[in-house]
Amino acid sequence: MNYIKDQQHLENLLKEERAIVLYFSDGTCSVGEAVAPKLDVLLKEKYPQFKLYSLMQTVHQELFAKHQIFVVPSLLVFLDGKETIRKSRNFSLLELESEIARYQTLMFD
């Protein structure tokens, strides 16, 4: 999993990369910490065009606020720099995979 350094780093990624998944956590949520490695494996194995980046609440408070992240875990999927998918708290990886597969087909196949 990759990590966001700061606001400028994120802005550059949104301009350069076609598909980015931002995973917001606080490091204390056991569910969130269990989902992150599964999400990482899913994207690397099935959807390598979707780059996964992690943000920690203690380090990236301004980015949490900017993207209106109020609960963890949360994730945002950006396609061509635009937020396309938003999931928070309790979400299904199967449902997320289905949505990503659809965009994979539209954008990369």
Side-chain angles (χ1 to χ4, degrees):
M1 185 175 312
N2 304 303
Y3 295 91
I4 296 295
K5 296 174 191 167
D6 55 26
Q7 174 67 32
Q8 188 61 46
H9 181 219
L10 178 56
E11 288 176 13
N12 291 341
L13 288 171
L14 290 173
K15 290 176 188 173
E16 297 166 5
E17 300 284 343
R18 291 204 65 202
I20 294 177
V21 179
L22 298 179
Y23 187 75
F24 295 83
S25 67
D26 67 359
T28 64
C29 174
S30 60
V31 173
E33 297 307 306
V35 169
K38 293 176 185 176
L39 181 60
D40 192 31
V41 169
L42 171 70
L43 294 176
K44 284 180 180 174
E45 289 180 357
K46 292 189 174 182
Y47 308 102
Q49 294 89 346
F50 287 74
K51 306 295 185 212
L52 179 61
Y53 291 90
S54 178
L55 295 98
M56 295 296 288
Q57 188 172 18
T58 55
V59 177
H60 302 100
Q61 291 175 357
E62 71 284 350
L63 291 172
F64 271 65
K66 179 178 181 182
H67 294 285
Q68 299 179 352
I69 302 299
F70 302 113
V71 296
V72 291
S74 292
L75 70 85
L76 302 178
V77 178
F78 286 85
L79 301 173
D80 291 331
K82 295 181 177 143
E83 182 182 325
T84 308
I85 301 170
R86 178 180 283 256
K87 302 283 183 191
S88 292
R89 196 169 287 175
N90 298 324
F91 55 87
S92 164
L93 284 179
L94 290 174
E95 181 183 308
L96 176 64
E97 181 180 1
S98 173
E99 292 180 57
I100 288 175
R102 191 176 115 222
Y103 287 110
Q104 168 81 20
T105 301
L106 290 172
M107 293 183 67
F108 299 107
D109 292 345

